[in-house]
Amino acid sequence: MHLTGFDLLFWAAGFIENLGLLFVLWYRRRAKNFPFFTALITLNVVRTIVLYLVLRLGTKANYFYTYWSLALLDTVLQLCIVYEVASRVFRPTGGWAREVRGSFIWLVGLSVTVAFGLSWLASPPARTWAQSFVTKGYLFAEALMSELFILMMALSISARLPWRTHVAKIAEGLGAYSLISMLIETGHSYFGVGREIPAFVFLSHVRMAAYLACVSYWILMLWRDEQPGRAMTQEMRETIFTLQRQVEYHLHQLRSRKKL
Amino acid sequence: MTTHNLYFLSAIGIFVGVLLSIAAYYYSRGRRSPQVSWEELVKKLTWIDRNTIAQVALDLVDESGEPREAGDAANLEPAELWKLIGGLKGLEALETNSDVLIDLAFYLQQWYPEALVIAERLRLDARELKWHVARLKGAAQTGNLQISFPFYAQRAVVSYYLMTRRLLDLYQAVNFSMLAKLQEAL
């Protein structure tokens, strides 16, 4: 695979920025709060090194299998981050609120359906069935991620859950990046995939530039401290947990009444 | 461009447009809400005589919100209830105030994120209150308001009364400096 100077510049910039973000995550002690996000950034650093070495020293087949194994791991980690963000935003007291949990499950179902519909509609000009499947798969994953992060933000703000925290910044960055990536995947589905297609190369550079902007945003936001919360007294904590049980009981009553 | 591609690109256009609109709407709402000061929120409350609210509510439940014994409850006459509550207009004021009470709980939640459960409880009370008021509005349309009013209106007032009590307890528990002003407003 032939790489231009521009490609290498983006590659090097991405590697340095990922290292910078990893430094911020550990130095500012954010890593223990966001283990999956830290794992994703670590994977990005490791991936750059491994792929570079495989490209220089390995065969084409080695590169193919390494690339796709790491891409699969990347997608799994992104889904884990969705869970990480949701669990930190929607269960600040340690238990999922029933009302929010119901809406969240509904939201995930809707997102999967819409993303599936969009990828089903796409008809990329691919040479092989596998290439078409991969392009559609990418479109599905990016559409799903952008939906989940944006709808999670909407749900938390409408439920007036705390959103202006580090977890919100991670979700905003990933939401924006996923949306841009989805538009890029739309371009791939329309123009086709392959380094011989100028539109494909241009879109790849746009994606890398968007990622660099996103990582810069995370470095800045995660370096800053979030607004400190005040500690609750033991008495207040007990009152709140008693209330939580009452809420569940009354919710059950309301639901039974609705069914009548 | 084929028809299939046109459908695909239109679907993507609609999808992105909807997502961006949702993001812009909620992002601006999220940024705007913390800027509303506590005083502005309290100003949104419609003045309601708290003694009247307590009188109507405590006719049905005790101070902790538990229903009174059958022989000891619901002593107020329907005409008296109508007068004390101020009819449907009075109930609509309670409905509007219930949203402000939730906002006041969320205001505190900015400093005490774990107070979320109290806010959830208030939202549940507000839903109950609105459910009763909706029944009365339906009854008014079918000409059954007089029959239904004592039952639903008194329960709506109980929900509102408990909301105010819970909110005051929350503010008291965290020693919030505005407690006195809130007590005055409620």
Side-chain angles (χ1 to χ4, degrees), chain A residues 150-166:
Chain A
I150 289 175
L151 293 178
M152 259 199 299
M153 177 184 85
L155 183 61
S156 73
I157 290 174
S158 71
R160 294 179 190 151
L161 292 158
W163 183 251
R164 299 177 129 209
T165 52
H166 284 146

Side-chain angles (χ1 to χ4, degrees), chain A residues 99 121 160-161 230 237, chain B residues 4 103 111 114 116 127:
Chain A
E99 286 294 275
L121 263 179
R160 294 179 190 151
L161 292 158
R230 294 179 194 174
R237 200 176 285 273
Chain B
H4 191 90
D103 283 339
W111 290 277
E114 290 148 296
L116 165 75
R127 274 177 64 180

